[in-house]
Amino acid sequence: MQLGRHSSYRIALQPAVTDLVRYIVKHWPHDILLNQRILSPFDPKDTMTCLESLADEFYHEQFLQSAEIIWRHLITQIQPEDEYEVCRHQSSLFRVLYMTNRNQSFNEELARLSIVILAFSFRDRFLLPRTVGMGTQFGLAAHKFRNIWAMYQSRQDEKEEEETPKQKIKFLSQNILQTISRDDLIAIFSMFFSLGNLCSLLGWYDTANRVFKLSLKHVYFTLEAFQWSLSRERVRGYALHALNLQRQQDFPKSFNALHDGYKELERGRLVSYVPAEHREILTLLRSILDTMPQSLTAEVLELRELDKHVESFSFASRGDTHQVFFRPNPHSLPSLFGRASSASGTMSTGRYGVTYSESVVSGVSLNYSALFP
């Protein structure tokens, strides 16, 4: 389909093309098929495929408004539970909006989408640490995330000493390429869980829910080779997601997220873990458990029993660890958990994540006060 690339033709065609697209998404296929007296049913999947192809054509021909109309319509036709399809179509809408808004003002919808697409590209494309590079879909999404949030300007009435969630997201965006380049899974997951928490604090609940779901279901958490720091970070993610759901007054789902956090912490006994850290993160889970409403009394009592069971793992002597019962295949999973540090001890501070110090002798010490901006 060649719609003309000359500016004069484009100006003349744009209103007509836009009106045509609005008619198509409003009436097709049902009204058009009835007018043509076609009695055989039209497969909804075929409808979606045709509209997707049409939207792509409009995008490539730079009829961005028409492409946007179709992608917005398609997103409304997808079941919210179909996480992959929703994100896939949101990626296409994001691509159109990014092109439309390039080098202009900060757009909140585009900013929210940039976070979702970042999480989606990480989950959908990221297989091994060595594929994180800037040329991947994840790397390209990171560049766009940074560019979009670079346009955010704080309001005059915002106090500099009390950074808002948006200011904190902007800070994360400024450092995302450095975070990715370090090839550090723990830092990347920490960033996503912090982003989900900050979106929740802003009231962007759809965005927060999607970021948590995409991150917590990441393929790396389904592998048979675990690392305590990775498992610990996932527990933190479940805890923040439970808080996110509590803000939405969705206490049953909040309870489920908290339960998953406890089960992940229980699974930590199968890997090398540090008892002191185990106790600290268990305290975090308990603080959220104590806020559950009385309507969930039976469920809370059940979880308190699990709490007692998990607590027993924390009484090992300081510095003691429990070793992994299996080892990953070094040929199929190279550099599985990032590069090992050659230093005897390191300090790392995640401004909006976990502050921790790491030593080959004493393990990791965490400060979870940073989890609640």
Side-chain angles (χ1 to χ4, degrees):
M1 180 173 64
Q2 294 296 324
L3 297 176
R5 294 186 178 276
H6 299 307
S7 58
S8 58
Y9 290 136
R10 186 173 305 283
I11 293 173
L13 282 173
Q14 185 69 59
V17 172
T18 301
D19 289 342
L20 174 62
V21 168
R22 286 181 176 142
Y23 180 85
I24 290 174
V25 299
K26 181 178 180 181
H27 297 285
W28 191 51
H30 304 293
D31 292 354
I32 295 177
L33 292 178
L34 290 174
N35 290 338
Q36 295 177 350
R37 297 182 180 179
I38 299 177
L39 300 179
S40 60
F42 197 82
D43 190 339
K45 292 183 178 179
D46 291 338
T47 303
M48 298 281 282
T49 302
C50 289
L51 288 176
E52 286 179 24
S53 298
L54 187 60
D56 281 333
E57 288 285 355
F58 283 133
Y59 172 77
H60 291 300
E61 294 293 338
Q62 297 296 297
F63 284 80
L64 301 179
Q65 185 178 7
S66 299
E68 177 185 343
I69 291 171
I70 295 178
W71 287 120
R72 288 190 186 278
H73 170 74
L74 289 172
I75 290 172
T76 65
Q77 305 303 304
I78 305 172
Q79 294 294 328
E81 297 78 18
D82 193 345
E83 202 77 42
Y84 182 86
E85 284 300 304
V86 170
C87 290
R88 187 172 71 83
H89 284 73
Q90 284 185 329
S91 295
S92 296
L93 175 62
F94 172 75
R95 181 180 59 171
V96 174
L97 295 178
Y98 185 79
M99 183 70 71
T100 303
N101 195 66
R102 178 171 290 182
N103 298 324
Q104 295 183 19
S105 59
F106 180 76
N107 181 293
E108 190 169 289
E109 179 187 18
L110 191 60
R112 294 198 308 269
L113 279 173
S114 72
I115 296 172
V116 173
I117 303 313
L118 184 69
F120 179 61
S121 63
F122 178 63
R123 178 178 183 265
D124 190 43
R125 309 291 181 186
F126 182 85
L127 297 177
L128 289 172
R130 296 186 185 279
T131 68
V132 167
M134 293 301 103
T136 64
Q137 290 294 323
F138 181 44
L140 295 174
H143 273 284
K144 292 179 179 179
F145 170 65
R146 183 191 61 177
N147 293 342
I148 289 168
W149 279 92
M151 291 184 282
Y152 174 72
Q153 299 294 330
S154 302
R155 299 195 313 270
Q156 294 292 332
D157 59 340
E158 291 177 341
K159 297 180 180 179
E160 293 185 2
E161 66 272 14
E162 296 179 4
E163 291 183 300
T164 66
K166 285 184 180 179
Q167 290 172 322
K168 295 175 182 180
I169 294 176
K170 182 174 182 177
F171 174 82
L172 289 174
S173 73
Q174 292 170 338
N175 293 274
I176 185 170
L177 298 183
Q178 180 182 358
T179 301
I180 293 175
S181 66
R182 289 204 307 268
D183 200 22
D184 186 344
L185 269 178
I186 308 305
I188 294 173
F189 279 119
S190 176
M191 175 194 68
F192 277 118
F193 297 144
S194 294
L195 280 173
N197 187 49
L198 291 167
C199 288
S200 179
L201 291 169
L202 285 166
W204 297 351
Y205 295 128
D206 288 343
T207 303
N209 293 344
R210 193 142 285 139
V211 169
F212 279 120
K213 288 178 182 178
L214 289 170
S215 303
L216 290 168
K217 292 179 180 178
H218 195 278
V219 64
Y220 251 78
F221 291 128
T222 65
L223 296 177
E224 292 188 40
F226 302 111
Q227 185 187 35
W228 162 242
S229 55
L230 187 63
S231 182
R232 177 200 67 213
E233 202 59 37
R234 194 184 194 189
V235 176
R236 171 181 175 256
Y238 280 124
L240 290 178
H241 190 29
L243 287 172
N244 163 54
L245 292 166
Q246 282 192 12
R247 295 185 189 108
Q248 302 172 57
Q249 301 295 303
D250 194 341
F251 291 104
K253 287 185 179 179
S254 176
F255 172 84
N256 290 337
L258 193 61
H259 180 271
D260 289 339
Y262 270 102
K263 296 300 289 185
E264 178 70 25
L265 192 58
E266 181 186 34
R267 188 176 64 166
R269 74 186 189 278
L270 298 177
V271 302
S272 178
Y273 73 91
V274 181
E277 295 176 26
H278 199 278
R279 288 191 293 271
E280 288 183 56
I281 200 164
L282 180 60
T283 301
L284 171 65
L285 293 177
R286 283 175 175 171
S287 67
I288 301 172
L289 180 60
D290 290 338
T291 65
M292 288 293 171
Q294 293 184 352
S295 59
L296 294 176
T297 300
E299 291 86 346
V300 170
L301 290 175
E302 177 186 347
L303 206 51
R304 290 199 184 281
E305 289 300 316
L306 180 58
D307 179 278
K308 293 178 181 178
H309 176 61
V310 171
E311 183 183 29
S312 63
F313 308 142
S314 300
F315 288 121
S317 60
R318 185 175 181 83
D320 189 18
T321 60
H322 297 256
Q323 299 303 318
V324 182
F325 295 147
F326 41 76
R327 63 182 63 180
N329 185 331
H331 301 292
S332 62
L333 297 175
S335 186
L336 181 59
F337 297 113
R339 303 182 183 89
S341 173
S342 59
S344 60
T346 60
M347 174 71 76
S348 177
T349 300
R351 185 174 180 184
Y352 304 114
V354 179
T355 301
Y356 61 93
S357 58
E358 183 173 300
S359 167
V360 294
V361 177
S362 61
V364 181
S365 176
L366 302 174
N367 175 15
Y368 282 100
S369 62
L371 291 182
F372 306 95

